[in-house]
Amino acid sequence: MPISNSWLNSGVSAILAGIQELELNASGGGGSARYRYVTSAKISLKAGEAQILVPGTAEPVNREITINLNSGSKAFLFWDNIGESEQNFLELTPNQPTYKDTADGGIRLDAVAVDSDIELTVILRQQEPITYKLGADDVANVSVSLWVNTDTYYGGNISDYDIEKEINNFTSSDDGISGNKIFIINGFTPGERITFNIDAASAGYGGSKVEMQLINPLQLMFFLFHTGIEEHLWYSLPNFLGSSEGFGKVFKYGGKTATATGGELKVKPKLDMFAGRFVATNSFNNKSDTCIITDYRPNASDPKQGGTFTLGGF
């Protein structure tokens, strides 16, 4: 029986369509021979603000990233684990507004608005399904709790008067202010910059700054171990609490304000350092002293950034 032209044409078309479908499925498909899935977002940053553009992935992926500067004067792009101080960045300007990476591999990409507010368009194509969001939506909301209340008496169960006195001096306020001495950042994304606002206008601090110090847990363990085994506890504990070579070694620099009355303070907490205190210059003795935190208000307009710490005296 002869084979009709209509059957032959439809059969060949079906075979060709099947081959094309197999090629697309094998390669990732879609509008490209590689990338089957696509998503995009417009992201706005204020001047000086940093933000994740494309999150990293736990395993390498085949994806293509395109970043375009829609408005603003300049943007810097950074890959994960490359610090700004090393000057390892890409620069987007109105003259060169576009960056494209066709072999990203799953590395996180961040952006900083340099001189002005900016708007970026981010387009992502990926071979595997896209299970994350572009921009800062994956960054945790910031939450803070306050500890070591100055109105609480912590020396009640200590029999040695000298140690009891030192504990009371350490935990109370010299100026009789109700508040707290320690903060804990409960909610944060490790390694991401958080901007807090520090209100110390009425505190009357000397010097030129208010400094945030974070607790180093390894130094804290050393401090507690050394204190606990010291034979002459009545001598060593007051010495540790009152000496910069003692308890002061527990704290590491976290950030500072531009003036002693407060302002913005930026910090990058990590899983091993997310609690600390504020210190400022005590005009009475011209030495650094622990500030009293009288209030903390979360950032209602942007919960992914820090709120406002209000500081009193010492």
Side-chain angles (χ1 to χ4, degrees), residues 182-185 188 191-192 194 196 211-220 247-255 265-279 309:
I182 298 293
F183 66 84
I184 296 178
I185 307 176
F188 65 98
E192 292 303 314
I194 300 175
F196 289 102
E211 182 175 306
M212 174 188 284
Q213 296 181 344
L214 298 176
I215 295 174
N216 184 310
L218 294 178
Q219 289 290 345
L220 178 60
F247 197 70
K249 294 178 67 175
V250 169
F251 294 92
K252 300 298 180 182
Y253 175 79
L265 187 152
K266 298 182 179 181
V267 63
K268 289 185 178 181
K270 301 184 295 183
L271 290 176
D272 59 346
M273 285 196 292
F274 54 88
R277 64 175 178 175
F278 294 97
V279 297
F309 285 98

Side-chain angles (χ1 to χ4, degrees), residues 134-216:
L134 302 179
D137 289 341
D138 64 328
V139 176
N141 288 349
V142 175
S143 63
V144 170
S145 60
L146 304 179
W147 294 76
V148 187
N149 189 296
T150 58
D151 292 331
T152 301
Y153 184 65
Y154 294 93
N157 295 323
I158 299 175
S159 58
D160 189 289
Y161 173 76
D162 290 330
I163 297 177
E164 178 184 359
K165 180 180 177 182
E166 289 296 332
I167 291 291
N168 185 55
N169 288 338
F170 178 69
T171 57
S172 65
S173 167
D174 295 339
D175 299 328
I177 298 172
S178 295
N180 299 81
K181 289 194 166 184
I182 298 293
F183 66 84
I184 296 178
I185 307 176
N186 303 305
F188 65 98
T189 300
E192 292 303 314
R193 180 187 287 110
I194 300 175
T195 300
F196 289 102
N197 183 57
I198 313 301
D199 181 3
S202 61
Y205 297 143
S208 60
K209 65 180 179 180
V210 176
E211 182 175 306
M212 174 188 284
Q213 296 181 344
L214 298 176
I215 295 174
N216 184 310

